Amino acid sequence: MALSRITSPFRSTNLLIPSILSSLRHRSISNDTTLTIETSIPFTAHNCDAPSRSVETTTSELMSFFRDMVLMRRMEIAADSLYKAKLIRGFCHLYDGQEAVAVGMEAAINSKDCVITAYRDHCTFLCRGGTLIEVFSELMGRKDGCSKGKGGSMHFYRKEGGFYGGHGIVGAQIPLGVGLAFGQKYSKDPNVTFSLYGDGAANQGQLFEALNIAALWDLPAILVCENNHYGMGTAEWRSAKSPAYYKRGDYAPGLKVDGMDVLAVKQACKFAKEHALKNGPLILEMDTYRYHGHSMSDPGSTYRTRDEISGVRQERDPIERVRKLVLAHDIATEKELKDIEKEARKEVDEAIAKAKESQMPDPSDLYTNVYVKGLGVEAFGPDRKEVKATLP
Amino acid sequence: MSSCVKRFGRSCASLVSKRGLSTSCIQKDAAVVAENGVKSLNLYSAINQALHIALDTDPRAYVFGEDVGFGGVFRCTTGLADRFGRSRVFNTPLCEQGIVGFGIGLAAMGNRAIAEIQFADYIFPAFDQIVNEAAKFRYRSGNQFNCGGLTIRTPYGAVGHGGHYHSQSPEAFFCHVPGIKVVIPRSPKQAKGLLLSCIRDPNPIVFFEPKWLYRLAVEDVPEDDYMLPLSEAEVIRQGCDITLVGWGAQLSIMEQACLDAEKEGISCELIDLKTLIPWDKETVEASVKKTGRLLISHEAPVTGGFGAEISASIIERCFSRLEAPVARVCGLDTPFPLVFEPFYMPTKNKILDAIKSTVNY
């Protein structure tokens, strides 16, 4: 088991089926050694001292990073196919390319820390302990989904993992995160809240309102700008006077992080948590990249070149970076890594098959959860002669 | 144009439909030139044409919003930036409140500010600017200032699988705000003429575009610069047993219900309200006085929907002429659902059922 999993038993325990490469795990446990690895590039700090570039990790942690990210990549690609097959409806935003942010962050925090994000939420949910079956069931609007099939792609939540979702309106989740942080501070929890948003959302006024509140009251709120460089179809420099998002807090310190380097993300989040508990809010700018378009209706190739995308894939891919580290430190062989990838594919396929068997929610669920109790009104199905839903 | 639903309505494609049916959908390319300067266009192309004309005829007109410089997510602003330059057609950051506030200021300088909010579901961050700034600017400055040149375009309504935040119909919120106008077209021809009227109207306007019809609705649209009057409802189908009132994409559903009702011997009159505030009470009143019955249908939730206002007004004006309670067939009082969309929607069968129960009251 990865080190972080031992220290935080809630985390990611469902991410992998126990059968995955048990031989490798045995080896990992018996030979788990500590490594110190330099981040790809230095951190850039604003109003604070940057943390060290030397990141402590273990062989088993590196392997879990590889596994988790491979699984996420596979999951997102499968979601793409399901969307094109019209099994997923609604709007769907994929995370492939950005996996290191979710995985690295999770390695630095525990399930008592809160995470809140926008609609690109599948992988964050998985990190917070969600399962593939819950993911695919929710994507297809089935009962076994993490929001009982009522939310869909954009609305994943997991209360026991401290994952507050899954929000549809650009930037609207940031003030909520500050409220969560206030709750933590008030009850003297040694925990923090990470509010994730994109570079597009960084231009919303709500961000600055929330940041001011957080700084005024020294709340343990960490604002994480996942800068994938395109707010929908608009490049960051077209929409932001200063695309240096880590500096835009002015009075709040900030840190620019290579978001394609899972170890750098882990180090930054660890630093941020310690900082926020002592001194209040901090902005983390994760320099990352999404391979897919903004959503499924965006091919993602009209506002950027194919060369740019393939260049990032070749030079900065978060999975390939870990693969190289694993091979360089002789932690696993190429074949073993390939087997992990095959296993991930199988897991995803099995989860999809199971999710397809999950039932659609009952028609009466249309009326539940609007208020605590039922609506107290009568309503009918699409054909008034056939369906009359019973109210809770 | 891949998924045009074959519906009823047109027998001869070369004739310009006088009624301008919302349902005049025929599978063909978006731009087939017909005679007399008329082109067969889908709804987004008609909007695009109107924007071209608006910018061409008024050098003080500007188009801005999220991704509009590239044509917009629904292609409504295609070609505008190339033709009129990036100083008149430009992308904004993702900041709805800023977009509308900016538009108010631009309009206050005597310009035509045509702002796009990418989905009506995203308009709420700008709600304060629309309600508190735009709507009351003229009133509270004693007519020294106004933002009459402001038009906010925004796609609304269901698309079959949009989920919670890409399907809502928030028109009723804005109908509670004296000082702005709310306009919703039902078809390409209507969209072009009404949008041009809105842009040139000296009042701030929220123009809701039925996104379900962007590609689906195809109709012959005159190529020239024409305007359709605001605050004038249109009887798009004559009948004598019951009056149906609706707007936007819902009219095509209502029209199908009218046809089904006709098969059962019920003659329905269908009215497109077009402008929700200030709305054309007289046309609806005259129709209800003739038929004695009224049904209103919209996608937004029934409680507090604009149907309630129509119902109350008509009961005030036609109480003694009504032969049955006013029927409302609307969205349910739930958040707009994802998998339950078919249950939520005011479908044809629900309308047909309500027509029959109202007529047989």
Side-chain angles (χ1 to χ4, degrees):
Chain A
M1 293 292 284
L3 185 65
S4 56
R5 290 207 184 140
I6 296 165
T7 53
S8 59
F10 293 105
R11 194 190 75 84
S12 298
T13 41
N14 293 321
L15 200 60
L16 299 162
I17 290 171
S19 68
I20 199 173
L21 287 179
S22 52
S23 62
L24 198 124
R25 183 173 298 157
H26 283 300
R27 203 178 79 175
S28 297
I29 289 167
S30 54
N31 297 335
D32 200 8
T33 49
T34 307
L35 302 166
T36 304
I37 292 168
E38 189 106 317
T39 60
S40 57
I41 49 166
F43 299 102
T44 318
H46 165 72
N47 275 350
C48 65
D49 294 323
S52 162
R53 280 182 75 179
S54 302
V55 189
E56 285 217 345
T57 181
T58 62
T59 49
S60 59
E61 189 182 55
L62 277 181
M63 289 306 291
S64 77
F65 285 164
F66 183 80
R67 250 183 249 129
D68 291 358
M69 289 197 288
V70 160
L71 196 67
M72 289 172 179
R73 181 71 55 91
R74 187 62 219 158
M75 176 181 87
E76 293 297 69
I77 288 164
D80 178 283
S81 311
L82 289 172
Y83 194 92
K84 284 170 181 155
K86 299 204 169 180
L87 284 162
I88 298 174
R89 310 310 307 271
F91 283 63
C92 182
H93 310 75
L94 302 178
Y95 201 71
D96 50 325
Q98 301 183 205
E99 297 94 339
V101 179
V103 171
M105 185 173 75
E106 195 58 42
I109 62 176
N110 64 50
S111 68
K112 295 263 168 49
D113 293 311
C114 301
V115 175
I116 188 165
T117 186
Y119 36 76
R120 204 179 302 283
D121 58 356
H122 309 164
C123 295
T124 316
F125 169 76
L126 213 55
C127 272
R128 298 260 82 191
T131 65
L132 286 172
I133 293 175
E134 287 173 307
V135 168
F136 287 113
S137 301
E138 190 59 41
L139 285 173
M140 294 190 278
R142 311 293 172 109
K143 264 185 178 172
D144 293 331
C146 50
S147 308
K148 299 178 188 142
K150 294 175 82 165
S153 165
M154 291 170 37
H155 308 288
F156 284 21
Y157 301 85
R158 192 166 194 276
K159 198 176 181 189
E160 55 276 42
F163 182 46
Y164 284 78
H167 295 258
I169 299 298
V170 169
Q173 75 280 9
I174 310 169
L176 273 65
V178 170
L180 299 177
F182 182 86
Q184 289 171 320
K185 188 179 167 100
Y186 189 82
S187 47
K188 299 194 168 61
D189 295 340
N191 295 101
V192 299
T193 297
F194 288 80
S195 304
L196 290 88
Y197 57 95
D199 47 302
N203 300 314
Q204 285 275 354
Q206 306 192 53
L207 167 62
F208 298 94
E209 298 181 24
L211 184 67
N212 181 51
I213 288 176
L216 197 61
W217 302 331
D218 296 327
L219 303 181
I222 298 156
L223 308 189
V224 185
C225 177
E226 290 188 87
N227 181 5
N228 61 27
H229 303 283
Y230 296 91
M232 299 194 287
T234 304
E236 56 178 348
W237 59 272
R238 291 179 190 271
S239 60
K241 178 68 184 171
S242 162
Y245 299 104
Y246 69 105
K247 283 189 192 167
R248 291 175 91 184
D250 183 18
Y251 44 81
L255 198 64
K256 187 173 181 182
V257 184
D258 179 2
M260 304 298 265
D261 177 352
V262 64
L263 290 167
V265 174
K266 180 185 134 183
Q267 184 85 330
C269 291
K270 191 166 156 267
F271 168 82
K273 183 174 171 180
E274 286 163 11
H275 174 97
L277 283 171
K278 261 189 261 161
N279 309 312
L282 175 96
I283 297 180
L284 292 179
E285 178 186 347
M286 303 290 184
D287 178 359
T288 184
Y289 200 82
R290 66 169 148 76
Y291 295 146
H292 265 90
H294 167 74
S295 72
M296 297 308 299
S297 50
D298 167 21
S301 52
T302 50
Y303 47 85
R304 54 185 188 178
T305 62
R306 293 199 184 278
D307 285 350
E308 180 185 304
I309 304 169
S310 62
V312 175
R313 273 187 194 277
Q314 275 164 22
E315 284 159 29
R316 297 183 62 209
D317 186 83
I319 297 176
E320 293 312 306
R321 186 189 297 279
V322 175
R323 189 197 303 273
K324 276 181 207 151
L325 283 174
V326 166
L327 296 174
H329 290 85
D330 202 24
I331 299 165
T333 63
E334 268 189 69
K335 182 174 179 306
E336 283 170 329
L337 296 183
K338 282 264 180 257
D339 287 345
I340 291 177
E341 289 176 295
K342 270 186 213 157
E343 189 64 31
R345 180 182 286 254
K346 203 175 124 200
E347 268 185 60
V348 166
D349 290 347
E350 283 169 6
I352 293 171
K354 284 210 180 117
K356 280 181 182 166
E357 284 167 22
S358 177
Q359 298 295 305
M360 300 295 271
D362 294 329
S364 60
D365 267 343
L366 169 58
Y367 313 104
T368 59
N369 310 131
V370 182
Y371 298 103
V372 174
K373 289 182 180 170
L375 288 171
V377 294
E378 280 194 339
F380 299 86
D383 187 333
R384 283 163 66 114
K385 284 177 229 159
E386 269 179 22
V387 184
K388 184 179 170 187
T390 42
L391 289 166
Chain B
M1 293 313 302
S2 56
S3 60
C4 197
V5 177
K6 197 178 172 198
R7 291 181 187 166
F8 53 88
R10 291 222 327 215
S11 52
C12 183
S14 65
L15 285 176
V16 182
S17 167
K18 286 210 177 98
R19 295 190 299 174
L21 279 177
S22 56
T23 45
S24 52
C25 305
I26 281 185
Q27 179 81 52
K28 62 161 110 171
D29 287 328
V32 177
V33 184
E35 58 267 45
N36 306 329
V38 169
K39 232 183 200 178
S40 175
L41 291 181
N42 60 25
L43 196 134
Y44 85 75
S45 304
I47 299 269
N48 183 250
Q49 212 176 67
L51 291 172
H52 271 278
I53 291 170
L55 289 177
D56 195 34
T57 53
D58 189 344
R60 299 167 309 150
Y62 302 83
V63 169
F64 51 91
E66 293 160 12
D67 289 344
V68 300
F70 309 124
V73 291
F74 292 108
R75 315 312 303 155
C76 292
T77 52
T78 304
L80 292 173
D82 290 340
R83 185 170 161 203
F84 299 101
R86 299 212 168 266
S87 53
R88 291 182 66 202
V89 179
F90 45 88
N91 289 336
T92 62
L94 309 189
C95 51
E96 291 76 15
Q97 187 171 16
I99 292 170
V100 172
F102 169 85
I104 295 169
L106 186 63
M109 297 286 282
N111 300 297
R112 305 235 173 269
I114 307 164
E116 176 177 309
I117 298 294
Q118 198 163 63
F119 283 86
D121 311 69
Y122 308 167
I123 206 167
F124 298 110
F127 198 54
D128 176 61
Q129 286 289 345
I130 297 170
V131 174
N132 282 332
E133 301 303 323
K136 305 168 177 53
F137 205 177
R138 189 188 298 276
Y139 188 82
R140 68 177 134 82
S141 70
N143 208 24
Q144 291 180 77
F145 288 107
N146 70 81
C147 57
L150 175 67
T151 302
I152 301 164
R153 298 177 39 244
T154 188
Y156 84 98
V159 287
H161 62 280
H164 313 295
Y165 293 121
H166 296 90
S167 308
Q168 297 176 76
S169 300
E171 70 273 5
F173 291 109
F174 299 93
C175 293
H176 201 56
V177 186
I180 55 172
K181 294 187 178 182
V182 174
V183 178
I184 309 181
R186 70 170 185 275
S187 72
K189 189 173 155 190
Q190 293 286 318
K192 182 179 169 184
L194 287 172
L195 180 55
L196 280 166
S197 294
C198 288
I199 291 168
R200 292 160 180 171
D201 189 89
N203 297 287
I205 294 181
V206 185
F207 187 77
F208 289 101
E209 296 168 7
K211 61 176 162 307
W212 203 332
L213 303 183
Y214 270 143
R215 287 163 191 273
L216 205 58
V218 179
E219 181 177 41
D220 286 340
V221 178
E223 292 251 77
D224 59 337
D225 181 352
Y226 67 95
M227 288 159 61
L228 295 173
L230 302 183
S231 293
E232 256 184 43
E234 180 184 348
V235 178
I236 55 177
R237 185 189 167 88
Q238 306 270 355
C240 54
D241 294 331
I242 182 169
T243 301
L244 278 68
V245 176
W247 49 87
Q250 187 58 14
L251 286 165
S252 67
I253 310 293
M254 297 168 81
E255 194 150 28
Q256 292 171 49
C258 290
L259 285 181
D260 281 11
E262 195 169 36
K263 285 178 204 151
E264 303 191 26
I266 301 170
S267 160
C268 302
E269 183 146 307
L270 182 59
I271 296 178
D272 176 6
L273 206 57
K274 298 193 211 182
T275 305
L276 272 63
I277 48 166
W279 63 289
D280 180 0
K281 288 181 187 150
E282 287 68 29
T283 299
V284 179
E285 184 185 346
S287 173
V288 174
K289 282 193 168 148
K290 180 174 74 172
T291 63
R293 298 173 189 91
L294 174 64
L295 181 151
I296 307 144
S297 182
H298 55 68
E299 278 180 29
V302 61
T303 301
F306 196 63
E309 175 60 34
I310 299 174
S311 170
S313 299
I314 291 305
I315 289 172
E316 282 166 5
R317 288 171 172 236
C318 312
F319 184 71
S320 60
R321 307 291 286 265
L322 283 169
E323 291 175 37
V326 176
R328 286 180 292 160
V329 183
C330 307
L332 305 179
D333 285 330
T334 70
F336 197 99
L338 177 65
V339 287
F340 295 124
E341 184 174 322
F343 294 90
Y344 171 92
M345 293 292 281
T347 51
K348 183 191 74 174
N349 283 346
K350 289 184 190 177
I351 297 170
L352 183 60
D353 191 57
I355 291 173
K356 285 194 271 188
S357 55
T358 304
V359 170
N360 299 324
Y361 180 78

